[in-house]
Amino acid sequence: MFVGHLAVGFAARRVAPGVNLGWFIGGVTALDLLWPIFLLAGIERARIVPGATAFTPLVFDSYPWSHSLLLACIWGAVFAGFAYRLGVPRSHFYLLAGLVVSHWVLDFISHAPDMPLWPGPSPKLGLGLWYSIPATLVLEGALWIVGIVVYLRGVQLGSRGARFAFWSFIVVTTAMWAASPWSPPPPSVETLGWFSLIGWIVIPWVVLADRGSRDRWGRE
């Protein structure tokens, strides 16, 4: 998933007034931010196989250090601890850690059976939503809409610049996601890894989008 992960982060912002959206989006995307680093370092492996699934040509041969359930739990604890060290209230520790783990859960729904439970010999799971483009667009799209609505019902956007950042983020990410099944595949795995590093721009983008926002009860 892509916008499905973001939807969970947007919805989570509703329950944590005063904590910037960047922390929640960082949580739900953490595993995908780590993955291209491990891929380029040769620690994890993927292939580009057109037709592997209807929605994406990517085959994830090995990515236990970024995407196994066990490591997702560990990365969640690391991420939540990092957030606490930088001033996020301790009361949100389990929420932030859970957001990291939620990435594995949503990938389990969308991926072919390639999601490991732990590094090494492990069952690989996946319900295969990506085998159907219509089902992916409907289910993930519905989750995305709900996440945006929940966020906007609980948060009043800040300055004009923040509003522009928010809506540009929504438009760009939605367009990229919706067009992905018909986009040409990457020319190589290395190119895929470098291109995927662009995902790191999501964090400062949503930090700006949420800056100066207030919840609907007047608290910043």
Side-chain angles (χ1 to χ4, degrees):
M1 283 196 179
F2 175 41
V3 295
H5 296 307
L6 301 177
V8 174
F10 273 103
R13 168 66 174 81
R14 174 78 177 267
V15 301
V19 180
N20 189 278
L21 178 63
W23 285 110
F24 304 107
I25 298 301
V28 297
T29 60
L31 305 188
D32 279 349
L33 297 180
L34 291 170
W35 176 71
I37 298 173
F38 293 159
L39 182 68
L40 291 170
I43 298 172
E44 299 188 335
R45 301 189 308 277
R47 288 177 291 137
I48 300 166
V49 181
T53 67
F55 203 81
T56 177
L58 303 185
V59 174
F60 301 97
D61 290 321
S62 176
Y63 55 169
W65 303 105
S66 64
H67 276 73
S68 69
L69 179 57
L70 175 61
L71 266 295
C73 294
I74 293 173
W75 290 124
V78 170
F79 178 77
F82 178 70
Y84 170 68
R85 293 286 295 179
L86 291 184
V88 176
R90 184 190 296 269
S91 58
H92 299 317
F93 182 93
Y94 292 106
L95 173 61
L96 292 174
L99 290 177
V100 177
V101 178
S102 77
H103 188 106
W104 191 95
V105 176
L106 292 185
D107 277 2
F108 161 73
I109 295 171
S110 57
H111 281 223
D114 59 23
M115 298 295 297
L117 297 177
W118 53 77
S122 165
K124 293 186 177 181
L125 310 177
L127 297 181
L129 178 63
W130 278 347
Y131 287 121
S132 171
I133 292 176
T136 301
L137 292 176
V138 169
L139 293 179
E140 189 173 3
L143 184 60
W144 182 219
I145 292 170
V146 169
I148 295 169
V149 170
V150 169
Y151 174 80
L152 291 176
R153 285 175 63 88
V155 172
Q156 180 179 349
L157 298 177
S159 66
R160 181 178 300 178
R163 293 194 298 272
F164 175 80
F166 175 82
W167 288 113
S168 64
F169 179 79
I170 298 299
V171 169
V172 170
T173 52
T174 301
M176 290 178 59
W177 166 73
S180 59
W182 298 280
S183 300
S188 68
V189 171
E190 183 178 12
T191 301
L192 169 65
W194 286 109
F195 180 80
S196 297
L197 288 175
I198 296 175
W200 282 87
I201 200 174
V202 165
I203 306 304
W205 199 343
V206 296
V207 167
L208 177 60
D210 198 53
R211 181 170 295 169
S213 65
R214 302 175 66 90
D215 73 27
R216 294 296 182 180
W217 295 271
R219 293 167 299 182
E220 293 188 354

